[in-house]
């Protein structure tokens, strides 16, 4: 027994000191944007290294043309230059007082000829250093009356190939200050537009000039950072406002190529960088991610993580600057951890971004091997389908292109592939199609004639004769609405016919939800909520009946509730008449021929509206102007009913939630 106890004690001790299970995956996810949501994907970038370099407060970072990394360290009054291996090479900024001594520098930029421009914030100037680190010259506040009452406090800057400086000054809402190589003032550039609120608009309406003069002016948001790409486009960053205009891509004339678009993960942008292929990178404090966009500002990937209390490798504390070198490594200055973080592309990231570059350049054939490698690693990435779809379209494999474009929800590409598939099919089956159509119309024509003769000879009971008469009235009403609705007013339609018509309408609606062609209904069929689709189809019709009866009764209308239900049912005939041809055509035409679908849909909508108006006029015995007025009131009443329904539902849910939470509390303490 003693030996057994000793063995168990030894085994327990061994288990306690054994190392625990470790996870090999990264401590944060990588996501891609599929156009509507962020989805998980394998890593596109991974942490490669972290460098201290005796930094105290790194506030800006710039990668030079030779891939050296320049870091503005505000606390030590230096610009530290790191080699491609992340090790310090030199520092810029004299130790002793003199023209080369810096004071709290907050921005740095390196030109193509390795001149280093420093936003020497504390000294209120721009200092320029040579490639060897020697001081070259300085730019003080330019002489102009426009800046007479303003301080010159440069914070960030870029320099274009002409030597023109674009300087972001502290808290300036006028945009970037432009200065020539000679230090002359060239005006302001790229100012944000002031956001007009509803309150400011109301004030302009009701206040006089003296009162408006006392109001705080609604000023544009100041630019927070600036970058430049190899083509000379200026990128300005502005935080907040739900990503709208958060990054603007400005040409020499100040026109925004992004057209003030709303960016995903664009709420708290710190800095941006652009690689040689035109991909845009940013660090966003709000989403706590590093983000990658294409040349048009479309979100592609998000990775990394920001945590102010981080002590974890690869996790940022408080990022302040961002740069990308020629090998696509991302360098980020982190003032919280006093380090420079380096991230390297993975094989998957290299393949997918190379494929996207070739795709954007229209080199579809060259992109194929990259897309195939991406597909082999992750077939769930939706960009594959669009990329390979373009490849197959270019190769003439239109059937494959059709499938891939559908998976990518690319309507334009799908339409082009479908045009070719349809053309090929028509060339091979034209005779059969023509013969089939002739046979179909012949069968329909002869069938209708035979059915009419058979119905004329057949003796039906009174019940079935009533059903047939009501069905004939249903078809007659569409082309002769006044006469048809007068017939309805004088008779009681069979409930069976009313139910049959409504069932037919619902079946056609269900068919249109699931069988409308992809080009005109580009949705994932598995994600369709049929109940919700039918709710939004049926509820307007039901509320129309209720509102029409109530409003017209108050307005001395003669229609009974049964007559309103009958008339509103028969008024749906245009929907049945047009929906089936529209359904067929949606699976046959391309986007170039969508005018056919649009025209028929407009005709159907107008016809439906006319039917409901005529129904209201005839059933309630109004004149035309009374009908129009009461129909408008009916529409308003429908809105009121819906609003009341939402309020009742919301209050009922809150009441239910109150009693449910109360029940949970009682159950917990019982």
């Amino acid at each position: 027994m003693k030996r057994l106890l000793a063995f168990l004690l030894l085994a327990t001790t061994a288990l306690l000191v054994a190392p625990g299970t470790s996870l090999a995956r990264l401590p944060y996810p990588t996501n891609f944007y599929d156009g509507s949501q962020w989805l998980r994907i394998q890593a596109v970038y991974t942490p490669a290294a972290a460098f201290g370099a005796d930094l105290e407060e790194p506030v800006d970072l710039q990668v030079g043309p030779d891939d050296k990394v320049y870091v503005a360290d505000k606390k030590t009054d230096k610009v530290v230059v790191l080699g491609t291996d992340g090790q310090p090479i030199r520092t810029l900024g004299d130790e002793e007082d003199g023209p080369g001594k810096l004071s709290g520098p907050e921005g740095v930029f390196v030109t193509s000829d390795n001149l280093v421009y420093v936003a020497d914030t504390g000294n209120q100037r721009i200092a320029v250093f040579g490639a060897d680190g020697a001081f070259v010259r300085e730019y003080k506040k330019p002489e102009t009356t426009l800046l007479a009452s303003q301080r010159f406090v440069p914070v960030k800057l870029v320099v274009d190939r002409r030597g023109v400086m674009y300087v972001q000054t502290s808290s300036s809402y006028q945009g970037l200050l432009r200065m020539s190589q000679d230090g002359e003032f060239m005006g302001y550039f790229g100012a944000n537009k002031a956001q007009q609120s509803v309150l400011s608009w109301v004030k302009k309406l009701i206040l006089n000039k003296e009162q408006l003069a006392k109001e705080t002016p609604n000023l544009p948001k100041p630019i927070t950072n600036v970058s430049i790409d190899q083509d000379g486009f200026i990128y300005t960053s502005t935080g907040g406002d739900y990503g709208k205009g958060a990054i603007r891509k400005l040409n020499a004339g100040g026109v925004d190529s992004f057209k003030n678009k709303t960016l995903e993960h664009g709420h708290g942008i710190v800095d941006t960088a652009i690689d040689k292929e035109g991909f845009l990178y940013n660090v966003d404090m709000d989403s706590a991610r590093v983000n990658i966009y294409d040349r048009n500002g479309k979100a592609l990937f998000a990775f990394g993580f920001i945590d102010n209390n981080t002590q974890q490798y690869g996790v940022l504390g408080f990022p302040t600057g961002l740069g990308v070198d020629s090998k696509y490594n991302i360098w980020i200055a982190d003032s919280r951890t006093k380090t420079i973080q380096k991230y390297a592309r993975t094989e998957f990231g290299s393949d997918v971004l190379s494929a996207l570059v070739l795709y954007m350049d229209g080199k579809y054939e060259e992109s194929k091997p990259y897309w195939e490698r991406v597909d082999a690693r992750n077939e769930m990435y939706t960009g594959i389908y669009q990329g390979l779809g373009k490849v197959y379209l270019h190769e003439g494999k239109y059937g494959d292109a059709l499938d891939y474009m559908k998976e990518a929800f690319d309507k334009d590409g799908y339409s082009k592939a479908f045009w070719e598939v349809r053309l090929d099919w028509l060339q091979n089956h034209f005779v059969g199609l023509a013969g089939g159509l002739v046979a179909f119309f012949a069968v329909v024509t002869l069938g209708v004639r035979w059915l009419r003769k058979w119905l004329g000879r057949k003796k039906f009971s009174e019940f079935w004769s009533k059903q047939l008469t009501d069905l004939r009235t249903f078809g007659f009403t569409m082309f002769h609405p006044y006469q048809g609705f007068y017939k309805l007013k004088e008779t009681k339609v069979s409930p069976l016919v009313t139910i049959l018509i409504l069932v037919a309408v619902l079946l056609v609606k269900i068919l249109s939800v699931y069988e409308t062609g992809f080009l005109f209904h580009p949705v994932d069929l598995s994600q369709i909520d049929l109940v919700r689709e039918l709710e939004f189809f049926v509820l307007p019709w039901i509320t129309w009946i209720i509102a029409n009866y109530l409003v017209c009764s108050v307005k001395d209308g003669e229609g009974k509730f049964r007559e309103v239900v009958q008339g509103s049912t028969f008024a749906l005939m245009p929907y049945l008449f047009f929906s089936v041809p529209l359904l067929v055509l949606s699976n046959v035409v391309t986007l170039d021929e969508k005018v056919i679908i649009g025209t028929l849909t407009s005709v159907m909508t107008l016809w439906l509206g006319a039917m409901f108006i005529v129904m209201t006029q005839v059933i309630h015995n109004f004149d035309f102007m009374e009908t129009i007025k009461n129909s408008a009131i009916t529409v308003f009443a429908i809105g009121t009913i819906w609003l009341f329904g939402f309020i009742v539902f919301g209050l009922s849910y809150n009441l239910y939630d109150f009693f449910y939470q109360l029940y949970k509390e009682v159950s917990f303490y019982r």
Side-chain angles (χ1 to χ4, degrees):
M1 178 63 69
K2 290 182 179 179
R3 290 181 179 179
L4 178 61
L5 289 174
F7 175 76
L8 291 175
L9 181 61
L10 182 63
T12 303
T13 305
L15 289 173
L16 289 173
V17 300
T21 303
S22 62
L23 297 177
R25 67 181 177 87
L26 291 172
Y28 49 79
T30 297
N31 301 86
F32 74 94
Y33 191 66
D34 74 341
S36 60
Q37 60 184 329
W38 291 94
L39 302 172
R40 290 288 294 273
I41 198 173
Q42 62 260 59
V44 175
Y45 272 88
T46 55
F51 308 102
D54 297 325
L55 298 168
E56 291 296 327
E57 189 181 355
V59 294
D60 196 21
L61 180 148
Q62 174 76 22
V63 177
D66 54 0
D67 281 349
K68 292 185 176 66
V69 180
Y70 297 75
V71 184
D73 192 344
K74 182 178 180 179
K75 195 167 185 178
T76 62
D77 301 328
K78 300 286 186 184
V79 172
V80 181
V81 185
L82 309 179
T84 55
D85 58 357
Q87 299 305 312
I89 298 175
R90 70 176 69 90
T91 60
L92 308 181
D94 296 341
E95 296 288 344
E96 304 296 332
D97 289 338
K101 184 174 177 57
L102 301 174
S103 175
E106 295 188 29
V108 60
F109 183 82
V110 187
T111 65
S112 58
D113 53 357
N114 290 309
L115 282 177
V116 183
Y117 287 70
V118 181
D120 192 5
T121 309
N123 288 326
Q124 299 184 25
R125 65 169 185 168
I126 295 170
V128 184
F129 296 85
D132 58 354
F135 176 78
V136 177
R137 59 181 175 271
E138 68 177 6
Y139 294 96
K140 290 283 192 176
K141 178 180 175 180
E143 295 294 333
T144 173
T145 56
L146 294 175
L147 299 175
S149 61
Q150 298 181 26
R151 297 173 62 201
F152 181 65
V153 186
V155 180
K156 307 291 180 186
L157 80 161
V158 295
V159 183
D160 67 17
R161 63 190 65 176
R162 301 168 300 168
V164 175
M165 292 166 277
Y166 296 78
V167 186
Q168 175 211 338
T169 56
S170 179
S171 303
S172 174
Y173 61 86
Q174 293 131 318
L176 302 173
L177 186 149
R178 283 201 298 183
M179 293 173 60
S180 70
Q181 275 186 312
D182 300 324
E184 295 178 353
F185 177 70
M186 299 176 65
Y188 286 101
F189 178 85
N192 291 316
K193 293 182 178 180
Q195 300 295 321
Q196 296 294 329
S197 64
V198 176
L199 180 60
S200 63
W201 178 76
V202 172
K203 286 180 178 179
K204 287 182 179 180
L205 289 178
I206 62 177
L207 299 181
N208 57 38
K209 291 183 179 180
E210 291 76 14
Q211 291 171 323
L212 285 173
K214 296 178 182 179
E215 292 288 323
T216 302
N218 189 20
L219 301 176
K221 292 184 178 181
I223 293 171
T224 55
N225 217 323
V226 59
S227 305
I228 189 170
D229 66 15
Q230 61 183 4
D231 295 323
F233 284 95
I234 307 292
Y235 294 75
T236 62
S237 305
T238 306
D241 201 21
Y242 300 99
K244 185 176 182 181
I247 298 177
R248 295 183 301 147
K249 181 180 179 181
L250 307 175
N251 62 16
V255 178
D256 180 16
S257 298
F258 288 168
K259 298 180 180 178
N260 206 41
K261 75 183 300 180
T262 299
L263 291 182
E264 294 295 325
H265 290 179
H267 302 259
I269 297 173
V270 174
D271 195 10
T272 60
I274 306 91
D275 68 21
K276 60 185 179 183
E277 301 293 356
F279 287 111
L280 173 65
Y281 304 75
N282 80 23
V283 183
D284 180 59
M285 294 296 292
D286 185 74
S287 63
R289 311 299 296 277
V290 180
N291 304 284
I292 307 175
Y293 305 83
D294 69 10
R295 299 167 188 170
N296 300 313
K298 176 185 175 184
L300 298 175
F301 302 100
F303 71 93
F305 192 67
I306 299 173
D307 181 2
N308 191 46
N309 298 313
T310 182
Q311 295 181 350
Q312 191 170 6
Y313 175 66
V315 177
L316 299 167
F318 191 86
T320 54
L322 172 72
V324 182
D325 64 26
S326 63
K327 297 180 180 178
Y328 308 108
N329 297 307
I330 298 175
W331 300 77
I332 299 178
D334 188 349
S335 66
R336 170 66 178 81
T337 59
K338 303 178 182 180
T339 60
I340 304 301
Q341 302 270 8
K342 179 182 178 182
Y343 299 84
R345 276 190 191 179
T346 62
E347 286 188 22
F348 173 77
S350 180
D351 283 338
V352 69
L353 290 168
S354 296
L356 286 167
V357 167
L358 294 168
Y359 173 83
M360 290 186 293
D361 290 339
K363 300 176 181 178
Y364 306 126
E365 195 67 33
E366 295 177 37
S367 71
K368 185 177 181 180
Y370 294 99
W371 285 124
E372 289 175 340
R373 287 203 292 270
V374 173
D375 191 21
R377 290 188 175 98
N378 191 334
E379 62 181 11
M380 299 303 293
Y381 174 54
T382 54
I384 297 169
Y385 301 107
Q386 194 167 36
L388 285 177
K390 287 285 188 182
V391 170
Y392 292 135
L393 188 62
H394 184 71
E395 291 179 345
K397 298 178 180 178
Y398 302 117
D400 293 334
L402 205 65
D403 295 335
Y404 276 88
M405 292 299 184
K406 188 173 184 179
E407 288 292 335
F409 290 93
D410 184 347
K411 293 198 301 181
D412 291 331
Y414 184 93
S415 179
K416 293 175 183 176
F418 181 72
W419 174 281
E420 298 293 343
V421 170
R422 187 184 66 179
L423 179 62
D424 181 66
W425 189 91
L426 286 174
Q427 289 174 340
N428 294 321
H429 301 87
F430 180 76
V431 175
L433 176 64
L437 289 174
V438 170
F440 173 77
F441 284 112
V443 169
V444 170
T445 302
L446 294 174
V448 170
R449 289 179 182 176
W450 176 84
L451 183 61
R452 285 177 176 174
K453 290 181 180 180
W454 182 78
L455 290 174
R457 294 194 303 265
K458 181 72 174 177
K459 298 293 184 180
F460 292 99
S461 64
E462 183 179 348
F463 173 80
W464 288 111
S465 295
K466 172 64 174 172
Q467 314 307 315
L468 290 173
T469 301
D470 290 342
L471 286 174
R472 290 193 188 100
T473 304
F474 179 56
F476 177 81
T477 302
M478 178 174 175
F479 298 100
H480 306 86
Y482 279 100
Q483 297 176 15
F485 285 120
Y486 273 118
K487 284 185 178 181
L488 288 180
K489 189 170 176 61
E490 297 170 357
T491 185
K492 182 178 180 181
V493 176
S494 168
L496 178 62
V497 171
T498 302
I499 293 172
L500 182 64
I501 294 170
L502 294 177
V503 169
V505 170
L506 287 177
L507 288 175
V508 169
K509 175 59 180 178
I510 294 171
L511 280 174
S512 68
V513 169
Y514 286 102
E515 299 301 330
T516 297
F518 170 77
L519 291 176
F520 302 94
H521 194 216
V523 297
D524 183 355
L525 298 182
S526 64
Q527 301 300 314
I528 291 176
D529 185 347
L530 183 60
V531 174
R532 183 172 291 274
E533 292 279 348
L534 294 179
E535 282 178 354
F536 283 101
F537 181 72
V538 173
L539 284 178
W541 181 78
I542 293 175
T543 48
W544 160 268
I545 291 174
I546 296 171
N548 183 271
Y549 175 72
L550 294 176
V551 169
C552 294
S553 295
V554 171
K555 296 293 185 177
D556 298 324
E558 298 178 0
K560 300 176 182 177
F561 185 75
R562 172 183 57 79
E563 294 171 343
V564 174
V565 173
Q566 290 177 178
S568 298
T569 302
F570 276 53
L572 294 172
M573 180 59 189
Y575 179 80
L576 284 177
F577 183 81
F578 283 97
S579 290
V580 175
L582 282 170
L583 187 62
V584 174
L585 286 170
S586 70
N587 289 277
V588 174
V589 302
T590 66
L591 290 180
D592 293 330
E593 303 142 354
K594 65 181 180 181
V595 65
I596 301 173
I597 300 290
T599 301
L600 286 178
T601 302
S602 298
V603 171
M604 179 184 72
T605 303
L606 292 173
W607 206 321
L608 274 169
M611 291 287 285
F612 278 98
I613 290 174
V614 173
M615 182 276 293
T616 301
Q617 181 178 359
V618 173
I619 295 298
H620 295 288
N621 197 21
F622 290 142
D623 61 34
F624 182 75
M625 291 309 298
E626 281 182 315
T627 303
I628 298 299
K629 181 177 68 174
N630 292 330
S631 296
I633 297 173
T634 299
V635 172
F636 176 78
I638 290 172
T640 305
I641 292 171
W642 279 57
L643 178 62
F644 179 75
F646 282 129
I647 293 172
V648 170
F649 174 79
L651 293 175
S652 301
Y653 177 80
N654 288 336
L655 187 63
Y656 160 77
D657 186 63
F658 169 76
F659 283 110
Y660 177 69
Q661 296 298 331
L662 184 63
Y663 166 76
K664 287 176 65 178
E665 289 288 332
V666 173
S667 300
F668 179 78
Y669 288 106
R670 188 169 59 183

